[in-house]
Amino acid sequence: RRPERAVVVTLAMAAGPPPPLEPSALPTFHEEGFAEKFMRKTRENPLVPLGCLCTVGALAYGIICFKKGNTRRSQLMMRARVVAQGFTFAALLGGMVATAIKSRQ
């Protein structure tokens, strides 16, 4: 069986190298910087950055209230932060599902 295999390899090599590809047949990709990628992702799913901003805002205000000694408001802001994180996570999952459904169609 080995001689048959050697013959196939020899015949394939005798055919010569494959013809070169045309330059237009190759896909071209644009190098995307951080700002461009951030804007594209924000346009695709605007709720995720909004949720992140709400999370950071609630956290910052909660820390300020804690430093001022307003523990009741501080606890309220920490709960708001958890809700905002949940919203952000749900928006992220929703965007992933929407992208998966769109790619199937």
Side-chain angles (χ1 to χ4, degrees), residues 52-76:
C52 290
L53 286 175
C54 290
T55 301
V56 169
L59 177 64
Y61 188 61
I63 290 172
I64 290 169
C65 290
F66 180 75
K67 286 196 178 230
K68 288 183 178 181
N70 190 349
T71 56
R72 172 170 254 163
R73 176 77 42 102
S74 175
Q75 283 297 313
L76 182 66

Side-chain angles (χ1 to χ4, degrees), residues 31-104:
E31 283 296 322
E32 193 174 37
F34 175 78
E36 294 168 332
K37 185 174 182 179
F38 179 78
M39 291 307 296
R40 179 176 57 84
K41 293 285 187 177
T42 300
R43 274 187 241 110
E44 289 174 4
N45 193 356
L47 296 178
V48 173
L50 179 66
C52 290
L53 286 175
C54 290
T55 301
V56 169
L59 177 64
Y61 188 61
I63 290 172
I64 290 169
C65 290
F66 180 75
K67 286 196 178 230
K68 288 183 178 181
N70 190 349
T71 56
R72 172 170 254 163
R73 176 77 42 102
S74 175
Q75 283 297 313
L76 182 66
M77 287 298 106
M78 290 304 114
R79 290 184 185 124
R81 177 192 57 85
V82 170
V83 170
Q85 279 181 307
F87 172 79
T88 304
F89 186 70
L92 186 64
L93 285 178
M96 289 171 55
V97 168
T99 302
I101 290 172
K102 190 186 297 182
S103 68
R104 283 187 182 176

